[in-house]
Amino acid sequence: MGSYAQIKIIKHDIEGWEKRMAESIKILYLEDEMAQAEAMMQVLQDSGYNYTHCQTGSDFLAKLEENEYDLLILDWEVPDKAGIEVLEHLRSYLHWSGPILFVTHRDAEQDIVSALEKGADDYMVKPFRRSELEARLNALIRRAGLADNQQEFKMGPYTISQTHREVLLDGQAVALTTKEYELGVLLMKNVGRLYSRKYLLKNIWGIDSDISTRTVDAHVSSLRRKLGLRASSGYQIKTVYQHGYRLEKLLESEAVA
C-alpha cells in the first residue's frame, strides 16, 4: 500500500476518533442573541458535539442542576443574570469543576482578567473565528481529560473499576447495589461538585418529579457506611442544607483530626 493511501487511512481514523470523542461531550451554552447563538450552534453541530442552548442565566443554571454536562460556554450580557454572575455561582456555590469558556463582546482587559480570576478557563471576544473556536474547545477538552476513556481510576484508598462496575476499598470489593454504585461513581468522578436531590433522582433513578422522597438520603447514608467515607479515608460526603450533596476531599490536617 502506498504512503499516500496510508496517510488517508490514518487521517480517516483520526477524524473518526475525533467525531466519536465529540459526540460523547455534552456542552451547555448560554447566549441570548440568536444570530450569535446560531453561528455557535452551527460550529458545535458540524463538530459533532452534543449541546444544549439557553437564553437566560436562570434557565442555564436550572439545566445544569437537571442534567450532566462536560463543558460550559458563557456569554456575559444576558437577561436576568449576567454571565459573570453565573460563573461565580458555578465556581463558588455549585463547585462545578469542569471547563468554562467565555465568548463575549466585552474586550476590555479588566473584563478578561475578572472572568479568568473568577474561574473561566478561556476567553474569546466576538465575533469569534471558527477555526480558533474549534482549537480552543479541543484544548479545553484535552486539558480537562474529557478525551480519555478511563475505565479505572484511583482516589485515596478507593479504586473505581467501571469495566467491572465495582468500587474497591483498600483492594477489597465493596458490596454495593446498582444505584449505590452509580451514585458513588458520579460523586467520585466529580469531587467537590454539588448535586441537588432533584438532579440525583432524575439522573440515577430516572424520577423527574418534585415529589418528596428519602431515596437519595437513604442511599447517601448507605454509601457513607459501606465505603467508610469519613475523615480517616480522606473523603466525606457533605450534606448542603436544602440543596443536596457533594463529595469533598479533606485536607491532610482534617483527615488526621
Side-chain angles (χ1 to χ4, degrees):
M1 183 181 293
S3 59
Y4 177 71
Q6 290 176 321
I7 291 172
K8 285 187 67 177
I9 291 173
I10 293 171
K11 182 174 183 291
H12 180 268
D13 289 343
I14 292 173
E15 288 175 346
W17 176 84
E18 288 177 341
K19 187 175 188 299
R20 290 192 299 273
M21 180 197 73
E23 289 172 348
S24 70
I25 303 296
K26 296 181 68 176
I27 295 176
L28 186 59
Y29 173 41
L30 175 62
E31 171 63 74
D32 65 313
E33 296 181 15
M34 283 310 299
Q36 293 288 335
E38 287 169 3
M40 173 68 76
M41 290 188 289
Q42 187 62 59
V43 175
L44 298 178
Q45 180 177 310
D46 291 346
S47 298
Y49 291 111
N50 186 339
Y51 67 88
T52 300
H53 170 233
C54 300
Q55 291 183 276
T56 68
S58 297
D59 185 35
F60 183 92
L61 291 173
K63 286 283 195 304
L64 189 64
E65 289 200 7
E66 295 172 0
N67 298 284
E68 186 76 19
Y69 295 96
D70 302 298
L71 186 149
L72 309 180
I73 302 175
L74 300 177
D75 181 27
W76 192 307
E77 297 170 344
V78 292
D80 86 310
K81 192 182 288 288
I84 198 72
E85 295 179 65
V86 173
L87 174 63
E88 290 182 282
H89 186 82
L90 290 167
R91 295 303 198 201
S92 301
Y93 181 65
L94 296 181
H95 293 270
W96 202 84
S97 58
I100 298 176
L101 170 65
F102 245 91
V103 182
T104 174
H105 284 300
R106 299 175 74 123
D107 60 358
E109 182 179 359
Q110 61 266 30
D111 289 334
I112 298 173
V113 170
S114 177
L116 294 175
E117 287 183 340
K118 292 180 187 299
D121 295 281
D122 204 350
Y123 194 104
M124 291 185 69
V125 177
K126 299 176 188 175
F128 63 82
R129 290 171 292 192
R130 182 188 180 107
S131 58
E132 181 184 358
L133 172 64
E134 291 172 339
R136 287 177 184 266
L137 287 173
N138 287 335
L140 287 173
I141 288 167
R142 286 196 305 272
R143 291 205 298 269
L146 296 174
D148 297 332
N149 187 19
Q150 191 176 21
Q151 293 302 307
E152 181 174 298
F153 61 97
K154 296 183 178 182
M155 42 182 287
Y158 305 101
T159 300
I160 297 84
S161 172
Q162 297 185 92
T163 301
H164 298 99
R165 291 181 63 81
E166 64 180 6
V167 178
L168 284 68
L169 173 58
D170 293 324
Q172 297 297 314
V174 179
L176 300 175
T177 66
T178 298
K179 295 305 181 187
E180 286 171 348
Y181 167 80
E182 291 174 357
L183 177 61
V185 169
L186 176 67
L187 295 174
M188 287 176 161
K189 291 177 72 174
N190 298 276
V191 175
R193 178 172 175 183
L194 178 61
Y195 287 100
S196 67
R197 288 179 176 84
K198 182 178 180 181
Y199 175 94
L200 295 172
L201 277 173
K202 180 178 180 180
N203 288 273
I204 302 295
W205 283 270
I207 300 174
D208 191 5
S209 171
D210 291 325
I211 61 172
S212 177
T213 174
R214 295 285 298 172
T215 297
V216 175
D217 301 331
H219 279 74
V220 167
S221 178
S222 182
L223 267 182
R224 284 189 177 121
R225 175 175 53 82
K226 290 184 176 182
L227 295 180
L229 288 164
R230 57 181 70 93
S232 59
S233 73
Y235 293 87
Q236 67 177 9
I237 300 178
K238 180 175 178 60
T239 303
V240 179
Y241 181 64
Q242 291 187 332
H243 192 82
Y245 299 97
R246 67 169 169 258
L247 182 63
E248 297 182 339
K249 182 177 182 179
L250 302 175
L251 299 174
E252 188 174 343
S253 58
E254 294 175 314
V256 172

